[in-house]
Amino acid sequence: MTGMNLAELVKIVHLQAIAAREATVCITAALAETGSPELRVSLHRHFLRSAATLDQASPVIGEHLRELADLVEILGSPPGGQPDAFMAPAELSTQPH
């Protein structure tokens, strides 16, 4: 890596992380809007479980996963209708993986 200093490398890594996060949000939104109710509930459950698992190791990643779960819940609820059977975080510990 001739000619690249640490500051430039950190900037590139930071920009890649932002791009990956935004891509994940876009993909999640598309799945929540177009997927079946079962897919939405599954995404929601997996995001919350992963967040709970990663909270101690990386609270920032855990928070991002909870934001994705919220996005699925918001976009997956039909306008004026009942939301899908999304699980509350407390219910996750009683459900099988």
Side-chain angles (χ1 to χ4, degrees), residues 42 44 67:
S42 179
H44 188 261
E67 289 170 2

Side-chain angles (χ1 to χ4, degrees), residues 73 76-78 81-86:
E73 189 172 353
S77 299
Q82 292 294 323
D84 293 327
F86 295 110

Side-chain angles (χ1 to χ4, degrees), residues 11 23 39 44 46 52 58 61 65-67 69-70 77 80 86 89:
K11 182 178 178 180
L39 175 63
H44 188 261
H46 285 289
S58 177
I61 293 174
L65 291 169
R66 273 188 291 288
E67 289 170 2
D70 290 345
S77 299
F86 295 110

Side-chain angles (χ1 to χ4, degrees), residues 34-77:
T34 63
S36 68
E38 293 83 9
L39 175 63
R40 290 190 295 269
V41 169
S42 179
L43 281 170
H44 188 261
R45 181 179 63 245
H46 285 289
F47 283 139
L48 288 178
R49 280 191 183 145
S50 294
T53 301
L54 292 171
D55 270 340
Q56 288 188 351
S58 177
V60 172
I61 293 174
E63 181 60 28
H64 176 60
L65 291 169
R66 273 188 291 288
E67 289 170 2
L68 291 173
D70 290 345
L71 180 65
V72 169
E73 189 172 353
I74 291 165
L75 295 178
S77 299

